[in-house]
Amino acid sequence: MLTQDQIKAYHEDGYVLVEDAVTGPLLEELRALTYGMIERSRAVTENDAVFDLDEGHSKDSPRLTRIKQPHVHMPAFFEVLRSPKVRGVLEALLGPSVRLQTSKLNTKAPGGGAAVEWHQDWAFYPHTNDDVLAIGLMLEDVEEANGPLQVVPGTHQGPILSHFVNGVFAGAIDPNDPLFEKDKIRMLTGKAGSMSLHHCRTLHGSAPNMSDRARLMCFYELSAADAWPLAGAAGAFVGMNQNQVWDTVTSRMVFGEQTNRPRLKDVPVLLPLPPAPDSSSIFKVQKSAGAVSAFAKPGERAA
């Protein structure tokens, strides 16, 4: 459960770090499943519905940027959201009914695992209200050397910065944007089993992993059940009839009841359109649209 100070910090700063959110046999199960998937990736030679491969990936040296939707391929990654401490945290920040939008397990291979350029999640998937957040569950210790999540406190209360390059949605801000206050950046490090939570409008990113070990973090995007997607996540409903849409959203409920009455809030919305040439992942969005990298040499584009 969160303390009142932690809840206050989340609302004021746009993020909070919770230690020992997942421990013991459950944490070990999630770690074992993750390493099992990395082993399975040895047989994969190109990106598919499960794996996003990093540069240099091979049978002898598996390197991944991401395992897609681990909650689908490994149900324990869904059930962990219902564990007492994680559920208590979500109830404190999102209320009694919470829906999972998606998940991704970013493995960030050692020796240069891909950076994620600075962005606000809200730019990708605005909703009818902003009771939307992301969890970063640390499956191994996360330190400064292996590319931790970085945030700029308070940005969830400010404007949505431009995520466009030449009029195309690039999924990243310009690191030279005068509104990007680099002096306020904080790194979120912690022991395995800790988790970060950041508001959907909090500016964040992560540098390449320059250490000799992987940075394993499972990210979940979650919302209050009365927050309905206006773009991004709404694309998952394309081609579905009303029954299929309803079945889909109800199947993603972590706890509580799904409502058919969206809660409308006066929130800033700019649709992520026109889309990047490749919208298959955040890495592809940022690269294909020519986002300028904040983690490379000046002027270089996203890797």
Side-chain angles (χ1 to χ4, degrees), residues 117 124 163-173 272 274-293 300-303:
E117 301 300 333
F124 285 81
H163 289 64
F164 290 78
V165 172
N166 296 324
V168 173
F169 183 71
I173 69 164
D278 187 343
S279 297
S280 58
S281 74
I282 188 173
F283 304 102
K284 298 297 185 182
V285 169
Q286 293 178 347
K287 182 177 181 179
S288 68
V292 175
S293 177
E300 284 188 354
R301 300 294 170 177

Side-chain angles (χ1 to χ4, degrees), residues 47-74:
N47 294 344
D48 60 18
V50 180
F51 301 108
D52 273 340
L53 309 183
D54 203 349
E55 292 184 9
H57 173 83
S58 68
K59 179 179 179 180
D60 295 328
S61 180
R63 293 177 60 87
L64 306 176
T65 58
R66 172 174 294 175
I67 298 170
K68 303 173 185 177
Q69 298 194 92
H71 74 282
V72 173
H73 308 296
M74 299 171 283

Side-chain angles (χ1 to χ4, degrees), residues 35-49:
Y35 283 109
M37 292 292 278
I38 293 173
E39 284 298 307
R40 175 179 157 186
S41 76
R42 292 179 185 271
V44 179
T45 58
E46 59 184 25
N47 294 344
D48 60 18

